[in-house]
Amino acid sequence: MLLYIIRRLLLLIFVLFGVVTLVFMLIHMIPGDPVDIMLGDHAIAADRKLLTENLGLNQPIHLQYASYMAGILRGNLGISIHSKRPVTDEILERFPASVELMFGAMVVALIMALPLGIISALKPYGIIDNSSMLISFLGISIPNFWLGPLLIILFSIQLDWLPINERGGIEHLILPSITLGTAMAAMLSRMIRASLLEVLNEEYVRNARAKGLPERKVILKHALRNALIPVITIIGLQVGVLLSGAIITEAIFDWPGLGSLLLDAIYSRNYPLVQGCILFIATIYVLVNLLTDLTYAWVDPRVRLE
Amino acid sequence: MTYKRHLKTALTRYVCQRTGIIALFLIANLLLPPGPGWGEGAAYAAEFRVGLENAPKTLDPRYATDAYGMRITQHLIFDTLVTLGYDLQIEPSLATRWETPDDTTYIFHLKDGVTFHDGTPFTAEDVKFTFEHLMDETTKSPFAGTYKGKISRIEVLDPKTIKFVLTQPVASFLTSIILPVLPRHIIEGGQDFPTTLIGTGPFKFVSQSPTDLRFEANKKYWEDPPGCDRIIFKVVKDENTRFLKMKKEEIDLLVNALSSDKIKFFASGALHKAYQVIEEPGISYNYLAFNMADEKMKDNTLRQAIAHGIDVDEIIKYKLAGHAIRARGLLSPVNWFSEPDVPVMVYDPEKARQLLDKAGYKDPDGDGPRTRLTVEMKTSNNAEITAIARIIQAQLLKIGIHMDLKSYEWGTFYGDIKSGNFQMTSMRWVGVTEPDFYYDLFHSSQVPPAGRNRGRYINARVDDLVQQGRVTLDPDARKRIYSKIQTIVAGELPYISLWHLNNVSVVHRRVKNYRQHPMAGFFSFKDIRVE
């Protein structure tokens, strides 16, 4: 097990090396010049040249790459072009907000998906299953930029229960979490239903019933746990998506997360910040996937990690 | 094996219990009534809440080049030597008066009794330091180029008098020095300037986060102390969210941050009761630019045909809901230098077709679907700009021109425009008050990367005039020069002038003394009272 973890972590280094290289090449390849965007229309050619030199952007691309790599090996992600602050600081400042939103969305998704999925599986093609199907279709097809403002109108303006936007106490987290978590809930509930239906036909479930276990125990302990593996896979993959891909939700609720940081960085061609963000997100992605694999072994003792 | 099994079950149970507790805690939190103090609606009486579309890139005045960054630094935290008043004329600020003994010398007399936020008195040494610091290569300020080669030396005559000696007469000198005066003792003393931002202005910097910026009144301000205790800028990126925050009265002021289909909701009902809409002509300038180096576009007849084929008034009336005035040139009618009597290309599709015939673009099939020619227009992917470009596309189709519309993300678009990789484009100039800007736009030496003559417009007569305009100090003589330039450019059409957008402020009725500046700045914030 330990050996497995070490091997996976070693593999992480190669993955991240690939990510850094790819991102470096892509961001430098797309048209647009950070100096132009930064100076706007105020600067004259001399200023532009000076700034280009100061940022080291006049050097050949392979030298820029080498110096960036050298920085990373020393744990230095570079300096953000606009704020002149270390990239690491900028990312770590936004990270807690992203994690908070991710957990919020996850909790919303699970609270909605687990009961819906289980009940649907127990009474397939019944009223609950059909309405849960409808809810899921709605959940997946309602875009965030529509659901978000609707929730604000209902809960913040009409009912005046919750704040409109910004990060703050737990009451600030509710609307963004629902906005972000609904689509995932829809997907998860269908996933749980399908997977549980399959498991319910297994012999060990019949066995459990035969030996007289209460139905609640049969479902929750024997069936659900075995049905969770595909669900965990989805959750693991979604962590990465929720961390970096909540751009629209972040924009609607002015949530200071990583997604909007990355997007702004791309627009302003803030090379070090873009690279830093993607490297960071990729690391988390890989680590979460490792964690997902470890969870398999916990959920299903038959899975052996070697 | 059994032992292991037991351990695992125990562990599982433990984890499940813990998760259960956490889940319970979360649910409990969801159900709890909101605690006191979180309701933004209950603002402090003297707190002024302003919505912004995005956060300023930096508040360090040495590097701030974006609109919000410049407004906050120039009008709130810092002061400038002179300033542009509501009529866009130069007015005294930290400099109470000035004289020009000859064409290249300016002597400024500075205000007495001005102190920085930390109590240090402001003197002429700070002024000298400011401009030398900005010109210093190691500062890496984007403003260095504005002064380098123009200011020959700066002398402190006494603590309240300072002399600037220029290398040559510079007609735009007074406008060019409208930049925050920096605290010499802080920056030279090696103290932390970018996070403390000590200035002489009416408001002190308190804190900054990705979503809000806080300022408090400088009670010892040299003019009357500000009328409100605190200013809070709320960064609200999404327009719907901005509007909803207005609906809940959580924002006191939005300047040019709502589209016309949202503005109309303030005409009646609860929003009208709570808010006042102030609309006045602005100075931003929307235009279509041609690439004069392009084989097709260098033909003046074709450019005229296109100009006659675009119904600008229709776009203003319907698309912009009347929130703009027709432009005749770069300078808005508010500007003293603007020339009203220039050639105007009125909408006339018949004339446009005749001009196209003349330019050699015959109609291939009369009423048929084939077009006379194809031109390419590049725009940024801004929703409003692309929507307008599509209207122009439809209008030009009526005179037989197929406009191939291409929208790009800003960085890519900007790169293409600068490198001359375009035929037509639609852009906007913001904040132009100084006619010397014509030099940057149309002098032959200013083709990128040197300057902003992106359309590669080259005309020896214009070159000569913009050069004269730079060194002519007599205002009336200077005005005559720029009148000629405006007339020539309006006829030769390197740009098709579209409109000047109005400035639209939506301000809460509890806010008194708010006055809108033509540059949409935060000029009047020091006078504001919040009831």
Side-chain angles (χ1 to χ4, degrees):
Chain A
M1 181 81 151
L2 191 68
L3 201 71
Y4 174 80
I5 297 180
I6 292 172
R7 225 178 35 221
R8 284 288 297 266
L9 287 178
L10 281 177
L11 204 64
L12 171 73
I13 297 175
F14 289 100
V15 172
L16 293 184
F17 176 80
V19 167
V20 172
T21 310
L22 199 66
V23 170
F24 188 91
M25 288 192 325
L26 284 177
I27 186 84
H28 281 83
M29 228 151 58
I30 54 173
D33 181 352
V35 173
D36 273 347
I37 294 169
M38 189 174 165
L39 292 184
D41 279 318
H42 290 268
I44 58 165
D47 297 338
R48 206 168 280 132
K49 188 160 161 277
L50 192 71
L51 188 66
T52 311
E53 283 167 12
N54 278 319
L55 295 172
L57 295 173
N58 57 331
Q59 289 178 5
I61 195 87
H62 62 273
L63 286 184
Q64 289 185 42
Y65 178 69
S67 76
Y68 183 68
M69 272 310 206
I72 286 189
L73 291 180
R74 279 182 265 117
N76 177 5
L77 290 181
I79 302 289
S80 164
I81 292 183
H82 290 279
S83 67
K84 304 192 169 56
R85 289 173 57 209
V87 166
T88 324
D89 288 7
E90 298 233 321
I91 293 175
L92 291 182
E93 188 181 276
R94 302 289 192 101
F95 186 53
S98 276
V99 173
E100 197 179 311
L101 183 56
M102 180 198 81
F103 272 113
M106 205 77 96
V107 167
V108 167
L110 288 175
I111 289 178
M112 289 161 79
L114 275 174
L116 271 185
I118 294 172
I119 298 170
S120 306
L122 292 181
K123 297 250 164 64
Y125 309 109
I127 289 183
I128 294 189
D129 186 26
N130 282 333
S131 26
S132 121
M133 171 93 93
L134 185 71
I135 293 173
S136 299
F137 277 142
L138 281 177
I140 289 188
S141 38
I142 289 179
N144 288 353
F145 58 81
W146 190 65
L147 180 61
L150 277 193
L151 290 173
I152 297 179
I153 290 174
L154 179 60
F155 290 104
S156 309
I157 306 235
Q158 303 290 348
L159 299 171
D160 200 12
W161 286 353
L162 296 168
I164 294 179
N165 64 344
E166 282 184 278
R167 194 177 168 218
I170 191 115
E171 68 277 2
H172 286 262
L173 186 58
I174 298 171
L175 294 185
S177 298
I178 298 176
T179 309
L180 192 59
T182 308
M184 192 177 156
M187 195 165 61
L188 273 182
S189 74
R190 296 323 284 172
M191 198 79 184
I192 292 172
R193 174 191 178 270
S195 157
L196 196 58
L197 266 182
E198 200 174 305
V199 170
L200 283 174
N201 289 327
E202 295 282 339
E203 291 192 348
Y204 59 79
V205 173
R206 199 181 56 194
N207 207 20
R209 280 184 182 137
K211 70 182 181 186
L213 282 180
E215 186 66 11
R216 194 177 59 91
K217 221 164 187 183
V218 173
I219 301 298
L220 292 182
K221 209 154 176 186
H222 292 253
L224 186 62
R225 198 162 148 195
N226 282 295
L228 278 184
I229 292 220
V231 177
I232 289 173
T233 313
I234 296 282
I235 293 179
L237 287 173
Q238 285 288 317
V239 166
V241 175
L242 292 183
L243 264 187
S244 57
I247 293 169
I248 293 173
T249 311
E250 285 180 14
I252 295 170
F253 294 97
D254 294 290
W255 198 264
L258 279 178
S260 42
L261 181 70
L262 174 61
L263 193 69
D264 288 345
I266 293 173
Y267 279 144
S268 57
R269 301 289 190 273
N270 194 336
Y271 295 154
L273 192 54
V274 174
Q275 285 155 196
C277 280
I278 293 184
L279 181 63
F280 187 80
I281 292 166
T283 312
I284 302 254
Y285 224 107
V286 176
L287 287 179
V288 168
N289 266 312
L290 174 60
L291 209 66
T292 313
D293 288 353
L294 294 178
T295 322
Y296 289 163
W298 174 66
V299 173
D300 185 348
R302 286 170 306 175
V303 175
R304 290 275 171 268
L305 303 170
E306 263 140 32
Chain B
M1 191 62 206
T2 26
Y3 159 74
K4 258 191 166 173
R5 201 56 190 265
H6 274 300
L7 186 74
K8 213 162 194 182
T9 339
L11 204 71
T12 317
R13 195 171 294 146
Y14 173 72
V15 173
C16 287
Q17 276 169 359
R18 286 298 295 268
T19 356
I21 292 168
I22 295 173
L24 264 182
F25 171 74
L26 279 174
I27 292 169
N29 257 312
L30 294 178
L31 296 176
L32 277 178
W38 65 271
E40 297 166 355
Y44 298 99
E47 191 175 85
F48 181 44
R49 302 158 304 171
V50 184
L52 300 181
E53 287 169 287
N54 42 52
K57 291 217 172 74
T58 170
L59 290 181
D60 188 331
R62 299 171 294 178
Y63 309 106
T65 56
D66 61 311
Y68 284 144
M70 291 181 85
R71 287 171 198 170
I72 291 175
T73 51
Q74 289 181 12
H75 299 158
L76 303 186
I77 316 178
F78 299 90
D79 285 309
T80 50
L81 276 184
V82 296
T83 183
L84 284 178
Y86 290 95
D87 53 358
L88 298 180
Q89 298 291 324
I90 297 279
E91 281 176 10
S93 182
L94 282 179
T96 50
R97 60 193 169 87
W98 53 91
E99 58 239 24
T100 45
D102 60 68
D103 283 358
T104 56
T105 311
Y106 284 79
I107 295 172
F108 294 94
H109 300 274
L110 307 178
K111 200 156 189 73
D112 271 324
V114 177
T115 57
F116 284 99
H117 297 155
D118 63 351
T120 312
F122 151 80
T123 70
E125 291 291 347
D126 293 303
V127 179
K128 178 179 159 81
F129 169 77
T130 297
F131 291 96
E132 287 178 350
H133 183 63
L134 289 176
M135 284 190 282
D136 186 346
E137 270 195 13
T138 57
T139 310
K140 304 169 193 169
S141 166
F143 300 110
T146 317
Y147 309 112
K148 241 184 273 176
K150 285 184 195 155
I151 297 179
S152 126
R153 62 177 196 279
I154 306 170
E155 288 170 29
V156 173
L157 302 182
D158 66 60
K160 291 291 162 219
T161 318
I162 190 158
K163 180 162 104 175
F164 284 74
V165 181
L166 310 183
T167 51
Q168 57 184 343
V170 181
S172 60
F173 180 67
L174 286 176
T175 334
S176 78
I177 57 167
I178 303 183
L179 270 189
V181 174
L182 304 168
R184 172 175 167 233
H185 65 286
I186 303 267
I187 298 174
E188 243 182 18
Q191 293 186 54
D192 183 23
F193 177 66
T195 52
T196 54
L197 298 170
I198 299 285
T200 56
F203 290 91
K204 296 181 191 175
F205 172 70
V206 178
S207 68
Q208 183 181 15
S209 79
T211 48
D212 64 18
L213 300 103
R214 288 165 189 271
F215 299 87
E216 63 179 18
N218 172 13
K219 300 279 184 201
K220 293 183 185 143
Y221 190 53
W222 49 271
E223 263 187 335
D224 291 336
C228 64
D229 296 334
R230 270 183 293 270
I231 297 181
I232 299 178
F233 289 98
K234 295 274 178 198
V235 180
V236 188
K237 288 188 179 167
D238 186 81
E239 200 206 346
N240 286 320
T241 315
R242 278 198 294 279
F243 178 70
L244 292 172
K245 273 184 96 76
M246 297 294 262
K247 246 187 128 127
K248 216 178 164 186
E249 299 182 33
E250 289 182 5
I251 291 180
D252 294 321
L253 175 70
L254 278 180
V255 185
N256 297 339
L258 286 177
S259 56
S260 46
D261 54 330
K262 300 267 185 327
I263 295 285
K264 64 172 187 250
F265 287 106
F266 290 87
S268 60
L271 280 174
H272 177 71
K273 224 176 238 163
Y275 291 95
Q276 183 190 2
V277 177
I278 301 174
E279 177 163 1
E280 282 156 6
I283 59 168
S284 73
Y285 170 67
N286 281 65
Y287 61 95
L288 299 178
F290 294 104
N291 182 356
M292 310 282 277
D294 182 84
E295 270 313 307
K296 275 184 200 160
M297 294 304 155
K298 67 182 181 192
D299 179 6
N300 190 319
T301 320
L302 173 61
R303 294 198 302 274
Q304 279 188 29
I306 293 176
H308 283 298
I310 298 173
D311 191 349
V312 180
D313 294 326
E314 185 186 63
I315 301 176
I316 293 177
K317 189 169 170 196
Y318 296 107
K319 175 66 195 160
L320 303 174
H323 296 296
I325 53 166
R326 176 88 197 248
R328 291 170 188 272
L330 169 69
L331 304 174
S332 88
V334 186
N335 196 309
W336 185 70
F337 286 100
S338 83
E339 171 57 56
D341 195 20
V342 296
V344 182
M345 307 291 155
V346 288
Y347 177 59
D348 187 348
E350 201 36 57
K351 185 165 180 196
R353 285 187 204 102
Q354 286 165 12
L355 285 165
L356 284 175
D357 285 339
K358 197 173 139 201
Y361 300 104
K362 303 278 186 218
D363 192 346
D365 56 356
D367 287 339
R370 287 169 61 203
T371 52
R372 295 163 184 254
L373 82 155
T374 299
V375 294
E376 188 186 82
M377 163 114 118
K378 285 188 177 172
T379 68
S380 74
N381 59 3
N382 172 300
E384 176 108 3
I385 299 249
T386 41
I388 288 167
R390 273 195 294 273
I391 299 175
I392 293 175
Q393 183 183 41
Q395 290 178 345
L396 288 183
L397 192 61
K398 286 185 199 157
I399 58 165
I401 297 177
H402 170 67
M403 196 173 88
D404 190 7
L405 184 56
K406 292 186 171 160
S407 301
Y408 299 92
E409 171 270 346
W410 175 259
T412 311
F413 166 70
Y414 196 48
D416 269 358
I417 299 304
K418 295 192 87 149
S419 59
N421 181 19
F422 71 101
Q423 283 189 320
M424 274 177 84
T425 181
S426 170
M427 288 180 85
R428 177 188 305 168
W429 288 116
V430 179
V432 176
T433 56
E434 176 48 60
D436 184 42
F437 200 59
Y438 272 106
Y439 179 88
D440 302 55
L441 293 193
F442 296 130
H443 193 273
S444 57
S445 71
Q446 296 300 303
V447 170
R452 283 166 270 200
N453 188 350
R454 296 171 193 147
R456 277 87 181 148
Y457 176 63
I458 289 162
N459 178 323
R461 174 94 181 105
V462 170
D463 272 8
D464 188 39
L465 285 168
V466 290
Q467 195 66 52
Q468 279 179 38
R470 313 199 93 186
V471 295
T472 307
L473 298 187
D474 174 56
D476 292 316
R478 203 165 171 236
K479 187 172 174 163
R480 281 194 294 278
I481 293 170
Y482 284 108
S483 291
K484 281 182 204 153
I485 297 173
Q486 289 171 66
T487 310
I488 296 173
V489 169
E492 292 221 302
L493 289 173
Y495 281 5
I496 294 177
S497 294
L498 299 177
W499 52 78
H500 305 288
L501 287 176
N502 290 344
N503 286 322
V504 181
S505 293
V506 182
V507 56
H508 199 282
R509 294 190 190 271
R510 74 192 190 109
V511 175
K512 307 290 169 197
N513 296 347
Y514 172 75
R515 192 170 168 199
Q516 188 167 256
H517 192 274
M519 294 176 82
F522 301 155
F523 211 62
S524 68
F525 284 16
K526 58 176 188 281
D527 306 321
I528 275 171
R529 275 189 308 106
V530 182
E531 287 178 349

